[in-house]
mmCIF file of all heavy atoms in Angstrom:
data_model
loop_
_atom_site.group_PDB
_atom_site.id
_atom_site.type_symbol
_atom_site.label_atom_id
_atom_site.label_comp_id
_atom_site.label_asym_id
_atom_site.label_seq_id
_atom_site.Cartn_x
_atom_site.Cartn_y
_atom_site.Cartn_z
ATOM 1 N N LEU A 9 -1.140 -2.454 14.622
ATOM 2 C CA LEU A 9 -1.194 -2.137 13.208
ATOM 3 C C LEU A 9 -1.479 -0.643 13.077
ATOM 4 O O LEU A 9 -2.516 -0.154 13.521
ATOM 5 C CB LEU A 9 -2.298 -2.969 12.565
ATOM 6 C CG LEU A 9 -2.470 -2.982 11.059
ATOM 7 C CD1 LEU A 9 -3.164 -4.267 10.648
ATOM 8 C CD2 LEU A 9 -3.285 -1.793 10.589
ATOM 9 N N ASN A 18 -7.620 -2.531 2.442
ATOM 10 C CA ASN A 18 -6.204 -2.918 2.476
ATOM 11 C C ASN A 18 -6.061 -4.332 3.034
ATOM 12 O O ASN A 18 -6.117 -4.554 4.240
ATOM 13 C CB ASN A 18 -5.416 -1.907 3.330
ATOM 14 C CG ASN A 18 -3.926 -2.183 3.323
ATOM 15 O OD1 ASN A 18 -3.465 -3.273 2.978
ATOM 16 N ND2 ASN A 18 -3.156 -1.188 3.712
ATOM 17 N N HIS A 19 -5.829 -5.309 2.152
ATOM 18 C CA HIS A 19 -5.700 -6.695 2.616
ATOM 19 C C HIS A 19 -4.378 -6.926 3.328
ATOM 20 O O HIS A 19 -4.235 -7.897 4.067
ATOM 21 C CB HIS A 19 -5.857 -7.667 1.450
ATOM 22 C CG HIS A 19 -5.047 -7.314 0.237
ATOM 23 N ND1 HIS A 19 -5.510 -6.465 -0.733
ATOM 24 C CD2 HIS A 19 -3.808 -7.690 -0.158
ATOM 25 C CE1 HIS A 19 -4.607 -6.335 -1.679
ATOM 26 N NE2 HIS A 19 -3.549 -7.064 -1.349
ATOM 27 N N GLY A 20 -3.403 -6.027 3.131
ATOM 28 C CA GLY A 20 -2.155 -6.150 3.868
ATOM 29 C C GLY A 20 -2.360 -5.980 5.362
ATOM 30 O O GLY A 20 -1.706 -6.650 6.172
ATOM 31 N N ALA A 21 -3.283 -5.099 5.756
ATOM 32 C CA ALA A 21 -3.594 -4.914 7.172
ATOM 33 C C ALA A 21 -4.149 -6.201 7.769
ATOM 34 O O ALA A 21 -3.763 -6.608 8.875
ATOM 35 C CB ALA A 21 -4.588 -3.764 7.340
ATOM 36 N N LEU A 22 -5.048 -6.848 7.043
ATOM 37 C CA LEU A 22 -5.585 -8.122 7.519
ATOM 38 C C LEU A 22 -4.479 -9.175 7.588
ATOM 39 O O LEU A 22 -4.447 -9.988 8.516
ATOM 40 C CB LEU A 22 -6.700 -8.593 6.584
ATOM 41 C CG LEU A 22 -7.311 -9.960 6.889
ATOM 42 C CD1 LEU A 22 -7.952 -9.982 8.278
ATOM 43 C CD2 LEU A 22 -8.338 -10.343 5.813
ATOM 44 N N GLY A 23 -3.553 -9.140 6.634
ATOM 45 C CA GLY A 23 -2.444 -10.077 6.652
ATOM 46 C C GLY A 23 -1.591 -9.949 7.899
ATOM 47 O O GLY A 23 -1.153 -10.949 8.474
ATOM 48 N N VAL A 24 -1.362 -8.705 8.349
ATOM 49 C CA VAL A 24 -0.596 -8.474 9.574
ATOM 50 C C VAL A 24 -1.317 -9.094 10.770
ATOM 51 O O VAL A 24 -0.714 -9.786 11.602
ATOM 52 C CB VAL A 24 -0.374 -6.968 9.799
ATOM 53 C CG1 VAL A 24 0.264 -6.709 11.165
ATOM 54 C CG2 VAL A 24 0.510 -6.376 8.699
ATOM 55 N N VAL A 25 -2.624 -8.856 10.865
ATOM 56 C CA VAL A 25 -3.413 -9.385 11.979
ATOM 57 C C VAL A 25 -3.349 -10.905 11.993
ATOM 58 O O VAL A 25 -3.136 -11.532 13.046
ATOM 59 C CB VAL A 25 -4.874 -8.895 11.880
ATOM 60 C CG1 VAL A 25 -5.741 -9.575 12.932
ATOM 61 C CG2 VAL A 25 -4.947 -7.380 12.028
ATOM 62 N N ARG A 26 -3.528 -11.521 10.824
ATOM 63 C CA ARG A 26 -3.532 -12.982 10.770
ATOM 64 C C ARG A 26 -2.148 -13.569 11.037
ATOM 65 O O ARG A 26 -2.003 -14.555 11.764
ATOM 66 C CB ARG A 26 -4.043 -13.439 9.401
ATOM 67 C CG ARG A 26 -5.550 -13.304 9.253
ATOM 68 C CD ARG A 26 -5.989 -13.646 7.837
ATOM 69 N NE ARG A 26 -7.456 -13.741 7.744
ATOM 70 C CZ ARG A 26 -8.120 -13.831 6.601
ATOM 71 N NH1 ARG A 26 -7.453 -13.822 5.436
ATOM 72 N NH2 ARG A 26 -9.440 -13.931 6.588
ATOM 73 N N SER A 27 -1.115 -12.981 10.461
ATOM 74 C CA SER A 27 0.227 -13.540 10.615
ATOM 75 C C SER A 27 0.661 -13.549 12.076
ATOM 76 O O SER A 27 1.101 -14.575 12.603
ATOM 77 C CB SER A 27 1.230 -12.747 9.774
ATOM 78 O OG SER A 27 2.541 -13.241 9.960
ATOM 79 N N LEU A 28 0.533 -12.411 12.747
ATOM 80 C CA LEU A 28 0.954 -12.338 14.149
ATOM 81 C C LEU A 28 -0.066 -13.005 15.070
ATOM 82 O O LEU A 28 0.298 -13.659 16.046
ATOM 83 C CB LEU A 28 1.168 -10.885 14.552
ATOM 84 C CG LEU A 28 2.343 -10.173 13.865
ATOM 85 C CD1 LEU A 28 2.442 -8.724 14.334
ATOM 86 C CD2 LEU A 28 3.656 -10.904 14.117
ATOM 87 N N VAL A 87 3.543 -1.685 13.531
ATOM 88 C CA VAL A 87 3.682 -2.202 12.166
ATOM 89 C C VAL A 87 2.983 -1.249 11.201
ATOM 90 O O VAL A 87 1.750 -1.184 11.185
ATOM 91 C CB VAL A 87 3.070 -3.613 12.040
ATOM 92 C CG1 VAL A 87 3.329 -4.175 10.641
ATOM 93 C CG2 VAL A 87 3.624 -4.547 13.103
ATOM 94 N N PRO A 88 3.719 -0.491 10.383
ATOM 95 C CA PRO A 88 3.081 0.428 9.435
ATOM 96 C C PRO A 88 2.562 -0.308 8.210
ATOM 97 O O PRO A 88 3.237 -1.199 7.673
ATOM 98 C CB PRO A 88 4.222 1.385 9.059
ATOM 99 C CG PRO A 88 5.470 0.546 9.207
ATOM 100 C CD PRO A 88 5.189 -0.409 10.331
ATOM 101 N N THR A 89 1.367 0.056 7.747
ATOM 102 C CA THR A 89 0.785 -0.596 6.575
ATOM 103 C C THR A 89 0.580 0.369 5.413
ATOM 104 O O THR A 89 0.023 -0.026 4.390
ATOM 105 C CB THR A 89 -0.569 -1.244 6.928
ATOM 106 O OG1 THR A 89 -1.467 -0.240 7.397
ATOM 107 C CG2 THR A 89 -0.399 -2.316 7.995
ATOM 108 N N ILE A 216 8.740 -8.295 -7.606
ATOM 109 C CA ILE A 216 8.637 -7.666 -6.289
ATOM 110 C C ILE A 216 9.692 -8.244 -5.355
ATOM 111 O O ILE A 216 10.096 -9.400 -5.497
ATOM 112 C CB ILE A 216 7.225 -7.842 -5.667
ATOM 113 C CG1 ILE A 216 6.753 -9.297 -5.795
ATOM 114 C CG2 ILE A 216 6.220 -6.902 -6.304
ATOM 115 C CD1 ILE A 216 5.360 -9.557 -5.276
ATOM 116 N N THR A 217 10.137 -7.415 -4.427
ATOM 117 C CA THR A 217 11.078 -7.827 -3.393
ATOM 118 C C THR A 217 10.545 -7.372 -2.053
ATOM 119 O O THR A 217 10.204 -6.191 -1.898
ATOM 120 C CB THR A 217 12.474 -7.203 -3.606
ATOM 121 O OG1 THR A 217 12.922 -7.485 -4.924
ATOM 122 C CG2 THR A 217 13.471 -7.742 -2.600
ATOM 123 N N HIS A 218 10.451 -8.271 -1.082
ATOM 124 C CA HIS A 218 10.059 -7.929 0.281
ATOM 125 C C HIS A 218 11.215 -8.313 1.202
ATOM 126 O O HIS A 218 11.811 -9.383 1.037
ATOM 127 C CB HIS A 218 8.789 -8.666 0.697
ATOM 128 C CG HIS A 218 7.551 -8.121 0.067
ATOM 129 N ND1 HIS A 218 6.330 -8.066 0.719
ATOM 130 C CD2 HIS A 218 7.328 -7.592 -1.152
ATOM 131 C CE1 HIS A 218 5.427 -7.538 -0.084
ATOM 132 N NE2 HIS A 218 6.005 -7.248 -1.228
ATOM 133 N N LEU A 219 11.503 -7.440 2.167
ATOM 134 C CA LEU A 219 12.634 -7.721 3.043
ATOM 135 C C LEU A 219 12.446 -7.068 4.399
ATOM 136 O O LEU A 219 11.636 -6.145 4.566
ATOM 137 C CB LEU A 219 13.936 -7.238 2.406
ATOM 138 C CG LEU A 219 14.069 -5.741 2.051
ATOM 139 C CD1 LEU A 219 14.624 -4.923 3.207
ATOM 140 C CD2 LEU A 219 14.947 -5.563 0.823
ATOM 141 N N PHE A 231 12.970 -11.744 0.170
ATOM 142 C CA PHE A 231 12.198 -12.602 -0.719
ATOM 143 C C PHE A 231 12.019 -11.928 -2.078
ATOM 144 O O PHE A 231 11.937 -10.696 -2.164
ATOM 145 C CB PHE A 231 10.813 -12.873 -0.136
ATOM 146 C CG PHE A 231 10.814 -13.429 1.266
ATOM 147 C CD1 PHE A 231 10.297 -12.692 2.324
ATOM 148 C CD2 PHE A 231 11.341 -14.683 1.528
ATOM 149 C CE1 PHE A 231 10.281 -13.198 3.613
ATOM 150 C CE2 PHE A 231 11.329 -15.201 2.819
ATOM 151 C CZ PHE A 231 10.801 -14.456 3.867
ATOM 152 N N THR A 246 -0.615 -5.433 -6.790
ATOM 153 C CA THR A 246 -0.548 -6.855 -7.101
ATOM 154 C C THR A 246 -1.864 -7.546 -6.748
ATOM 155 O O THR A 246 -2.379 -7.387 -5.650
ATOM 156 C CB THR A 246 0.585 -7.523 -6.310
ATOM 157 O OG1 THR A 246 1.814 -6.876 -6.624
ATOM 158 C CG2 THR A 246 0.678 -9.000 -6.632
ATOM 159 N N SER A 251 5.779 -16.664 -5.667
ATOM 160 C CA SER A 251 7.041 -16.595 -4.944
ATOM 161 C C SER A 251 8.079 -17.320 -5.791
ATOM 162 O O SER A 251 7.963 -18.536 -6.003
ATOM 163 C CB SER A 251 6.898 -17.268 -3.568
ATOM 164 O OG SER A 251 8.147 -17.361 -2.929
ATOM 165 N N LEU A 273 11.341 -2.722 7.513
ATOM 166 C CA LEU A 273 10.492 -3.366 6.509
ATOM 167 C C LEU A 273 10.594 -2.641 5.172
ATOM 168 O O LEU A 273 10.718 -1.412 5.133
ATOM 169 C CB LEU A 273 9.034 -3.339 6.951
ATOM 170 C CG LEU A 273 8.598 -4.207 8.130
ATOM 171 C CD1 LEU A 273 7.216 -3.781 8.590
ATOM 172 C CD2 LEU A 273 8.599 -5.680 7.741
ATOM 173 N N ALA A 274 10.495 -3.386 4.071
ATOM 174 C CA ALA A 274 10.470 -2.748 2.759
ATOM 175 C C ALA A 274 9.758 -3.638 1.751
ATOM 176 O O ALA A 274 9.842 -4.869 1.815
ATOM 177 C CB ALA A 274 11.882 -2.439 2.282
ATOM 178 N N ASP A 275 9.071 -2.979 0.836
ATOM 179 C CA ASP A 275 8.356 -3.621 -0.274
ATOM 180 C C ASP A 275 8.773 -2.878 -1.537
ATOM 181 O O ASP A 275 8.453 -1.702 -1.699
ATOM 182 C CB ASP A 275 6.851 -3.525 -0.027
ATOM 183 C CG ASP A 275 6.026 -3.794 -1.276
ATOM 184 O OD1 ASP A 275 6.513 -4.458 -2.193
ATOM 185 O OD2 ASP A 275 4.861 -3.321 -1.335
ATOM 186 N N ARG A 295 7.654 -0.003 4.323
ATOM 187 C CA ARG A 295 6.661 -0.605 5.237
ATOM 188 C C ARG A 295 6.274 -1.963 4.690
ATOM 189 O O ARG A 295 6.772 -2.386 3.644
ATOM 190 C CB ARG A 295 5.436 0.304 5.375
ATOM 191 C CG ARG A 295 4.989 1.019 4.101
ATOM 192 C CD ARG A 295 4.018 0.238 3.270
ATOM 193 N NE ARG A 295 3.535 0.958 2.100
ATOM 194 C CZ ARG A 295 2.890 0.392 1.101
ATOM 195 N NH1 ARG A 295 2.671 -0.903 1.100
ATOM 196 N NH2 ARG A 295 2.474 1.095 0.056
ATOM 197 N N THR A 296 5.379 -2.644 5.372
ATOM 198 C CA THR A 296 4.942 -3.939 4.873
ATOM 199 C C THR A 296 4.102 -3.763 3.607
ATOM 200 O O THR A 296 3.321 -2.814 3.488
ATOM 201 C CB THR A 296 4.114 -4.679 5.940
ATOM 202 O OG1 THR A 296 3.715 -5.942 5.422
ATOM 203 C CG2 THR A 296 2.893 -3.900 6.345
ATOM 204 N N GLY A 297 4.290 -4.650 2.642
ATOM 205 C CA GLY A 297 3.510 -4.594 1.415
ATOM 206 C C GLY A 297 2.212 -5.360 1.566
ATOM 207 O O GLY A 297 2.100 -6.293 2.379
ATOM 208 N N ALA A 298 1.220 -5.005 0.769
ATOM 209 C CA ALA A 298 -0.104 -5.626 0.906
ATOM 210 C C ALA A 298 -0.062 -7.131 0.637
ATOM 211 O O ALA A 298 -0.847 -7.892 1.205
ATOM 212 C CB ALA A 298 -1.097 -4.952 -0.033
ATOM 213 N N GLN A 299 0.867 -7.590 -0.196
ATOM 214 C CA GLN A 299 0.930 -9.005 -0.563
ATOM 215 C C GLN A 299 2.057 -9.733 0.169
ATOM 216 O O GLN A 299 2.519 -10.783 -0.282
ATOM 217 C CB GLN A 299 1.118 -9.152 -2.084
ATOM 218 C CG GLN A 299 2.484 -8.745 -2.610
ATOM 219 C CD GLN A 299 2.619 -7.253 -2.798
ATOM 220 O OE1 GLN A 299 1.740 -6.479 -2.454
ATOM 221 N NE2 GLN A 299 3.734 -6.839 -3.369
ATOM 222 N N PHE A 300 2.479 -9.238 1.354
ATOM 223 C CA PHE A 300 3.637 -9.816 2.025
ATOM 224 C C PHE A 300 3.424 -11.288 2.401
ATOM 225 O O PHE A 300 4.391 -12.044 2.543
ATOM 226 C CB PHE A 300 3.998 -9.012 3.277
ATOM 227 C CG PHE A 300 3.164 -9.299 4.491
ATOM 228 C CD1 PHE A 300 3.568 -10.237 5.426
ATOM 229 C CD2 PHE A 300 1.955 -8.636 4.698
ATOM 230 C CE1 PHE A 300 2.798 -10.514 6.539
ATOM 231 C CE2 PHE A 300 1.183 -8.905 5.807
ATOM 232 C CZ PHE A 300 1.607 -9.852 6.734
ATOM 233 N N ARG A 301 2.148 -11.718 2.556
ATOM 234 C CA ARG A 301 1.902 -13.104 2.938
ATOM 235 C C ARG A 301 2.196 -14.091 1.804
ATOM 236 O O ARG A 301 2.143 -15.305 1.997
ATOM 237 C CB ARG A 301 0.457 -13.269 3.415
ATOM 238 C CG ARG A 301 0.211 -12.739 4.810
ATOM 239 C CD ARG A 301 1.002 -13.506 5.848
ATOM 240 N NE ARG A 301 0.633 -14.922 5.876
ATOM 241 C CZ ARG A 301 1.416 -15.902 6.289
ATOM 242 N NH1 ARG A 301 2.645 -15.635 6.694
ATOM 243 N NH2 ARG A 301 0.985 -17.141 6.287
ATOM 244 N N LEU A 302 2.533 -13.598 0.630
ATOM 245 C CA LEU A 302 3.032 -14.462 -0.432
ATOM 246 C C LEU A 302 4.316 -15.162 -0.005
ATOM 247 O O LEU A 302 4.580 -16.303 -0.417
ATOM 248 C CB LEU A 302 3.300 -13.616 -1.694
ATOM 249 C CG LEU A 302 4.100 -14.259 -2.829
ATOM 250 C CD1 LEU A 302 3.326 -15.422 -3.432
ATOM 251 C CD2 LEU A 302 4.443 -13.220 -3.889
ATOM 252 N N PHE A 303 5.097 -14.471 0.822
ATOM 253 C CA PHE A 303 6.449 -14.940 1.121
ATOM 254 C C PHE A 303 6.581 -15.488 2.535
ATOM 255 O O PHE A 303 6.036 -14.929 3.486
ATOM 256 C CB PHE A 303 7.440 -13.785 0.965
ATOM 257 C CG PHE A 303 7.451 -13.163 -0.396
ATOM 258 C CD1 PHE A 303 6.992 -11.871 -0.583
ATOM 259 C CD2 PHE A 303 7.914 -13.870 -1.488
ATOM 260 C CE1 PHE A 303 7.010 -11.288 -1.840
ATOM 261 C CE2 PHE A 303 7.929 -13.306 -2.754
ATOM 262 C CZ PHE A 303 7.479 -12.010 -2.937
ATOM 263 N N ALA A 304 7.351 -16.567 2.662
ATOM 264 C CA ALA A 304 7.695 -17.118 3.974
ATOM 265 C C ALA A 304 8.962 -17.945 3.812
ATOM 266 O O ALA A 304 9.250 -18.477 2.729
ATOM 267 C CB ALA A 304 6.563 -17.983 4.536
ATOM 268 N N SER A 305 9.717 -18.035 4.898
ATOM 269 C CA SER A 305 10.902 -18.892 4.893
ATOM 270 C C SER A 305 10.481 -20.322 5.228
ATOM 271 O O SER A 305 9.319 -20.603 5.536
ATOM 272 C CB SER A 305 11.910 -18.396 5.925
ATOM 273 O OG SER A 305 11.462 -18.710 7.243
ATOM 274 N N VAL A 309 8.651 -17.886 8.626
ATOM 275 C CA VAL A 309 8.876 -16.484 8.981
ATOM 276 C C VAL A 309 8.628 -15.600 7.767
ATOM 277 O O VAL A 309 9.263 -15.769 6.723
ATOM 278 C CB VAL A 309 10.310 -16.270 9.508
ATOM 279 C CG1 VAL A 309 10.555 -14.798 9.821
ATOM 280 C CG2 VAL A 309 10.559 -17.111 10.750
ATOM 281 N N ASP A 310 7.693 -14.659 7.886
ATOM 282 C CA ASP A 310 7.502 -13.636 6.861
ATOM 283 C C ASP A 310 8.133 -12.337 7.360
ATOM 284 O O ASP A 310 8.732 -12.298 8.439
ATOM 285 C CB ASP A 310 6.016 -13.465 6.525
ATOM 286 C CG ASP A 310 5.166 -13.131 7.751
ATOM 287 O OD1 ASP A 310 5.626 -12.371 8.622
ATOM 288 O OD2 ASP A 310 4.024 -13.636 7.840
ATOM 289 N N VAL A 311 8.008 -11.251 6.595
ATOM 290 C CA VAL A 311 8.695 -10.011 6.977
ATOM 291 C C VAL A 311 8.130 -9.414 8.266
ATOM 292 O O VAL A 311 8.866 -8.828 9.065
ATOM 293 C CB VAL A 311 8.641 -8.966 5.840
ATOM 294 C CG1 VAL A 311 9.476 -9.417 4.648
ATOM 295 C CG2 VAL A 311 7.210 -8.658 5.406
ATOM 296 N N VAL A 312 6.824 -9.567 8.496
ATOM 297 C CA VAL A 312 6.215 -9.009 9.705
ATOM 298 C C VAL A 312 6.654 -9.800 10.936
ATOM 299 O O VAL A 312 6.971 -9.221 11.983
ATOM 300 C CB VAL A 312 4.678 -8.980 9.573
ATOM 301 C CG1 VAL A 312 4.023 -8.610 10.897
ATOM 302 C CG2 VAL A 312 4.269 -7.979 8.496
ATOM 303 N N ARG A 313 6.707 -11.114 10.816
ATOM 304 C CA ARG A 313 7.204 -11.915 11.939
ATOM 305 C C ARG A 313 8.684 -11.635 12.195
ATOM 306 O O ARG A 313 9.136 -11.629 13.351
ATOM 307 C CB ARG A 313 6.968 -13.398 11.663
ATOM 308 C CG ARG A 313 5.487 -13.783 11.713
ATOM 309 C CD ARG A 313 5.296 -15.288 11.606
ATOM 310 N NE ARG A 313 3.877 -15.635 11.662
ATOM 311 C CZ ARG A 313 3.413 -16.875 11.708
ATOM 312 N NH1 ARG A 313 4.272 -17.902 11.705
ATOM 313 N NH2 ARG A 313 2.116 -17.108 11.752
ATOM 314 N N ALA A 314 9.461 -11.403 11.137
ATOM 315 C CA ALA A 314 10.875 -11.058 11.315
ATOM 316 C C ALA A 314 11.006 -9.742 12.071
ATOM 317 O O ALA A 314 11.855 -9.608 12.974
ATOM 318 C CB ALA A 314 11.565 -10.975 9.955
ATOM 319 N N ARG A 333 4.947 -20.612 -3.993
ATOM 320 C CA ARG A 333 3.698 -20.164 -3.366
ATOM 321 C C ARG A 333 3.016 -19.145 -4.277
ATOM 322 O O ARG A 333 3.668 -18.432 -5.039
ATOM 323 C CB ARG A 333 3.997 -19.518 -2.004
ATOM 324 C CG ARG A 333 4.360 -20.495 -0.919
ATOM 325 C CD ARG A 333 4.972 -19.789 0.282
ATOM 326 N NE ARG A 333 4.089 -18.777 0.869
ATOM 327 C CZ ARG A 333 3.200 -19.012 1.826
ATOM 328 N NH1 ARG A 333 3.046 -20.236 2.299
ATOM 329 N NH2 ARG A 333 2.459 -18.042 2.320
ATOM 330 N N PHE A 335 -0.096 -15.983 -4.320
ATOM 331 C CA PHE A 335 -0.963 -15.081 -3.572
ATOM 332 C C PHE A 335 -1.977 -14.486 -4.540
ATOM 333 O O PHE A 335 -1.620 -14.092 -5.661
ATOM 334 C CB PHE A 335 -0.130 -13.970 -2.930
ATOM 335 C CG PHE A 335 -0.936 -12.978 -2.145
ATOM 336 C CD1 PHE A 335 -1.232 -13.210 -0.809
ATOM 337 C CD2 PHE A 335 -1.383 -11.799 -2.725
ATOM 338 C CE1 PHE A 335 -1.959 -12.291 -0.075
ATOM 339 C CE2 PHE A 335 -2.116 -10.875 -1.999
ATOM 340 C CZ PHE A 335 -2.398 -11.118 -0.664
ATOM 341 N N GLU A 366 -2.258 -18.686 -1.111
ATOM 342 C CA GLU A 366 -2.586 -17.754 -0.033
ATOM 343 C C GLU A 366 -3.593 -16.747 -0.572
ATOM 344 O O GLU A 366 -3.301 -16.008 -1.521
ATOM 345 C CB GLU A 366 -1.329 -17.037 0.458
ATOM 346 C CG GLU A 366 -1.561 -16.069 1.594
ATOM 347 C CD GLU A 366 -1.636 -16.749 2.957
ATOM 348 O OE1 GLU A 366 -1.227 -17.919 3.074
ATOM 349 O OE2 GLU A 366 -2.115 -16.101 3.902
#
Side-chain angles (χ1 to χ4, degrees):
L9 188 155
N18 184 342
H19 48 273
L22 176 61
V24 173
V25 173
R26 284 175 170 170
S27 177
L28 293 179
V87 185
T89 60
I216 47 183
T217 307
H218 286 216
L219 59 89
F231 306 114
T246 302
S251 173
L273 290 167
D275 164 24
R295 38 89 177 166
T296 181
Q299 71 279 5
F300 80 93
R301 284 296 299 155
L302 167 65
F303 302 112
S305 74
V309 178
D310 56 38
V311 292
V312 171
R313 290 187 180 186
R333 286 166 58 89
F335 179 87
E366 181 81 15

